[in-house]
Amino acid sequence: MDFIDAGQNVILGGSPGTGKTHIAIGLGIKACQQGKSVLFTSIPKMLTQIRECHSSRTLRALELKFEKYDLVICDESGYISFDKPGAEMLFNHISLRTGIKSTITSNKSFDKWHEIFGMDPVLTAALLDRLTHKSFLVHNSTGINKALLLAIPCWWQYFLFHLF
């Protein structure tokens, strides 16, 4: 969990079903156990909240709250693409945490992120620059066998989870 105090990001990549969200949740729980404040959200949910706050002129309050978390986990990047205004709002919001700490999960490799951010290569490059600066990049291509995980008793899952 030293990455939180060091202001580093963790970016989890891999195909759907490879355990990215599971690992992100594990990091979030461990951070909470250490007294850190954690926000877990999906990228689409975050963008909806940003748009609503922008419309109601409460965006600055949302930004101030967003900046205060010790760890922000943004799940499901890469599943839904955004229009240009949405991509710009999301970029501005995520940029608030540059040099702070976040965990991002994505099912797309970086060379495909322009598909998410409205086909704007400049905006995508700037966002990737901010996210990957001082980051740990983890790509999981094999994943967790979910059927096996479901067959493991809960107390074993707890034990295995805490080994990570």
Side-chain angles (χ1 to χ4, degrees), residues 114-128:
H114 68 281
E115 296 171 6
I116 304 166
F117 291 95
M119 305 304 257
D120 187 332
V122 175
L123 183 64
T124 304
L127 179 63
L128 286 173

Side-chain angles (χ1 to χ4, degrees), residues 7-11 43 66 72 74 77 90-91 93-106 110 113 117 123-137:
Q8 295 173 294
N9 292 328
V10 175
I11 301 174
I43 295 284
F66 186 68
V72 172
C74 301
S77 173
L90 186 62
F91 168 80
H93 201 66
I94 290 176
S95 291
L96 295 170
R97 295 193 58 82
T98 299
I100 306 177
K101 40 260 168 206
S102 299
T103 299
I104 309 289
T105 70
S106 180
F110 291 146
W113 275 35
F117 291 95
L123 183 64
T124 304
L127 179 63
L128 286 173
D129 178 60
R130 282 164 179 73
L131 289 176
T132 58
H133 178 70
K134 295 182 4 178
S135 292
F136 293 99
L137 306 176

Side-chain angles (χ1 to χ4, degrees), residues 26-87:
L27 291 172
I29 290 171
K30 190 72 169 174
C32 287
Q33 290 172 340
Q34 293 182 358
K36 308 286 186 191
S37 60
V38 177
L39 170 67
F40 183 94
T41 187
S42 69
I43 295 284
K45 182 179 177 183
M46 183 189 306
L47 184 56
T48 299
Q49 189 174 22
I50 294 167
R51 287 179 191 236
E52 288 172 356
C53 289
H54 184 265
S55 295
S56 64
R57 298 184 173 273
T58 59
L59 185 57
R60 187 62 190 140
L62 177 68
E63 291 172 347
L64 290 171
K65 185 177 176 183
F66 186 68
E67 289 174 324
K68 290 182 181 179
Y69 287 102
D70 293 315
L71 175 63
V72 172
I73 300 171
C74 301
D75 197 25
E76 300 178 1
S77 173
Y79 291 94
I80 298 172
S81 58
F82 315 111
D83 59 6
K84 185 158 175 67

Side-chain angles (χ1 to χ4, degrees), residues 140-158:
N140 188 0
S141 59
T142 57
I144 297 169
N145 183 325
K146 292 181 181 177
L148 177 62
L149 187 62
L150 291 173
I152 298 172
C154 289
W155 64 271
W156 262 107
Q157 289 182 34
Y158 180 84

